[in-house]
Amino acid sequence: MSPADPVAFFSSLRPGQLLEDLFNAIPEAHYFVKDRESRFMSANEHFAFMLGESSVNDIIGKTDFDYSAGFLAEAFVADDRKVMETGIPILNKVELVPNESSLDWLKTSKTPLYGNNGGIIGLAGITCSISDSESLYHDHPEMLKIVNYVRRQFRNRITISDMAEAASISASTVERLFRRTFGITPFMFLLRTRLNAACEMLRLDSESLSEIAQVCGFNDQTSMTRAFRTELKITPLRYRHWYRDEVAAMR
């Protein structure tokens, strides 16, 4: 028996036999590969379906700008450049991504891919939606109490102590459970809840931005705008116009 040679083994494999098929077996996992120009080179079927295509072949050579609003595509590609220019992976980045009807809560990782000459020729990534269902809280039912409390009280001032009291646990346990369940802090979850409410009002109501900020628990319109810019890469007014343009385009 000859000595094991992993390099020869993998170089002899036909492309597309490992990651694509493996990730197709994980419905919640959306896997993709991009080149230096952030063009899609490969993906699993779930990723193609998420973009609205019927097959992986339909996305090859396209970019995020073909599928996402400009402000979102710019943010995605900026992360691509950071990974490919520095060689440092982005791991488990939690981000809010607005769609036509709500906000998606995603966790994304990207890692550089190296060519035979040692240079970075692209990246591989995986993104998945952080599902918010009761099964998520099966092992920690106290988290469901906190989540329900935040959803009822987000318009008011809430502290970690308030969340702890709602679930009859310590403040340190609240911090630990949020990081374990969602990968974020309690205050980030509270901000997400407020942003969800603000986005809904921007889509469906005609109140002014200052009125929406007040109703949704922000200190003022400025703090709401800052949160939108930081988490959604868009201003509240631009989000309102973007949604109305999307609705008009579907008619």
Side-chain angles (χ1 to χ4, degrees), residues 161-217:
S161 296
D162 295 329
M163 298 181 196
E165 184 177 350
S168 301
I169 57 178
S170 68
S172 60
T173 301
V174 172
E175 289 270 8
R176 186 167 62 253
L177 287 179
F178 265 94
R179 292 191 179 278
R180 182 181 303 165
T181 305
F182 295 110
I184 56 174
T185 66
F187 285 121
M188 187 62 215
F189 183 85
L190 174 59
L191 179 62
R192 173 207 177 187
T193 304
R194 287 171 173 163
L195 284 169
N196 261 314
C199 284
E200 183 175 6
M201 292 188 69
L202 287 166
R203 293 193 304 269
L204 304 178
D205 301 328
S206 58
E207 281 87 346
S208 68
L209 298 185
S210 59
E211 290 173 322
I212 291 174
Q214 182 179 11
V215 169
C216 294

Side-chain angles (χ1 to χ4, degrees), residues 134-143 177 180:
E134 292 201 9
S135 62
L136 182 65
Y137 313 111
H138 181 268
D139 294 332
H140 303 288
E142 59 270 36
M143 269 298 298
L177 287 179
R180 182 181 303 165

